[in-house]
């Protein structure tokens, strides 16, 4: 005789307590979670900025290459190049193959000739390396930019790009201090 199992009646599960517990856990995790702000996510390091003060040292009278950037009489931005030391100037002007009419001048007008300016900078760097090889204690030639305050910064940036393209990555800017600026305003 076969034993017959009674038919199973429907199984009913009450989901209400399970949903309640799920919502309780969800709210618990939402309230206890710490959300990072965008600033915390972006910056994972600390920047220590150098302390800077105005450098009021005077440029050396000998061994300085000065590139002047100003507005000429026609209203165009123009370059002028000079080297303060006579022996360096003669070497640089000869090495850069300046025209004979300009070799005797202390301040060479270049107008917009950036190729000649690049050649002068390269010749100056060559002179600096030559002096350093001959005498390790020789003072290096210092590059200085003397720009008029009315010059657009893009022109100064163009000049700096020319200097960098010729390997002159260290250069000074010639400025005046506030007392000199105030005295020149009262005179003018």
């Amino acid at each position: 005789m076969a034993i017959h199992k009674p038919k199973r009646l429907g199984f009913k599960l009450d989901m209400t307590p399970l949903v309640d517990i799920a919502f309780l856990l969800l709210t618990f995790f939402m309230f206890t979670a710490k959300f990072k702000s965008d600033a915390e996510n972006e910056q994972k390091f600390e920047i220590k900025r150098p302390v800077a003060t105005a450098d009021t040292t005077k440029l050396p009278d000998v061994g300085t290459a000065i590139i002047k950037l100003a507005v000429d009489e026609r209203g165009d931005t123009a370059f002028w190049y000079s080297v303060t030391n006579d022996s360096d100037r003669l070497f640089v002007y000869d090495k850069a193959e300046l025209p004979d009419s300009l070799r005797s001048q202390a301040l060479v007008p270049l107008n917009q000739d950036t190729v000649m300016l690049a050649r002068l900078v390269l010749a100056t760097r060559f002179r600096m390396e030559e002096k350093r090889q001959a005498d390790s204690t020789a003072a290096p030639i210092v590059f200085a930019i003397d720009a008029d305050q009315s010059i657009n910064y893009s022109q100064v940036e163009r000049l700096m790009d020319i200097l960098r393209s010729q390997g002159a990555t260290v250069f000074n800017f010639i400025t005046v201090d506030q007392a000199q600026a105030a005295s020149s305003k009262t005179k003018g």
Side-chain angles (χ1 to χ4, degrees):
M1 164 171 221
I3 299 179
H4 184 47
K5 289 186 177 180
K7 277 190 171 185
R8 198 169 188 187
L9 296 174
F11 177 70
K12 195 173 186 182
L13 181 65
D14 189 13
M15 296 291 288
T16 306
L18 183 64
V19 171
D20 286 345
I21 288 182
F23 278 114
L24 283 173
L25 285 173
L26 180 66
T27 55
F28 171 77
F29 287 123
M30 283 176 52
F31 288 129
T32 59
K34 180 182 177 208
F35 295 102
K36 289 186 176 182
S37 67
D38 289 337
E40 289 176 322
N41 286 337
E42 288 178 13
Q43 186 173 349
K44 298 197 183 302
F45 52 87
E46 180 182 342
I47 298 174
K48 294 183 181 179
R49 293 179 178 88
V51 177
T53 59
D55 185 9
T56 58
T57 57
K58 190 174 184 300
L59 283 173
D61 293 331
V62 176
T64 304
I66 300 173
I67 301 112
K68 295 180 182 276
L69 185 61
V71 178
D72 63 7
E73 60 275 353
R74 292 182 310 217
D76 296 331
T77 302
F79 301 108
W80 287 269
Y81 194 86
S82 67
V83 179
T84 56
N85 188 0
D86 287 336
S87 63
D88 290 339
R89 180 176 49 233
L90 294 174
F91 178 87
V92 167
Y93 289 1
D94 186 50
K95 190 80 173 167
E97 300 171 358
L98 269 180
D100 291 334
S101 60
L102 297 176
R103 286 188 193 206
S104 61
Q105 296 184 16
L107 186 64
V108 178
L110 298 174
N111 297 329
Q112 291 288 325
D113 191 356
T114 57
V115 174
M116 181 56 72
L117 177 61
R119 286 172 44 195
L120 284 164
V121 171
L122 189 62
T124 306
R125 282 199 57 245
F126 184 78
R127 178 63 172 180
M128 179 174 49
E129 294 298 323
E130 183 182 81
K131 284 175 76 173
R132 200 173 294 156
Q133 287 176 357
D135 182 13
S136 62
T137 61
I141 295 176
V142 175
F143 288 98
I145 297 174
D146 190 6
D148 189 83
Q149 69 180 359
S150 64
I151 296 293
N152 190 337
Y153 179 74
S154 64
Q155 297 294 328
V156 177
E157 184 179 26
R158 182 174 151 215
L159 173 59
M160 290 189 302
D161 287 340
I162 293 167
L163 287 168
R164 283 188 211 112
S165 72
Q166 300 305 316
T169 56
V170 177
F171 39 84
N172 299 308
F173 286 95
I174 298 175
T175 59
V176 295
D177 62 7
Q178 289 179 349
Q180 288 174 326
S183 68
S184 67
K185 283 183 183 178
T186 57
K187 290 179 185 176

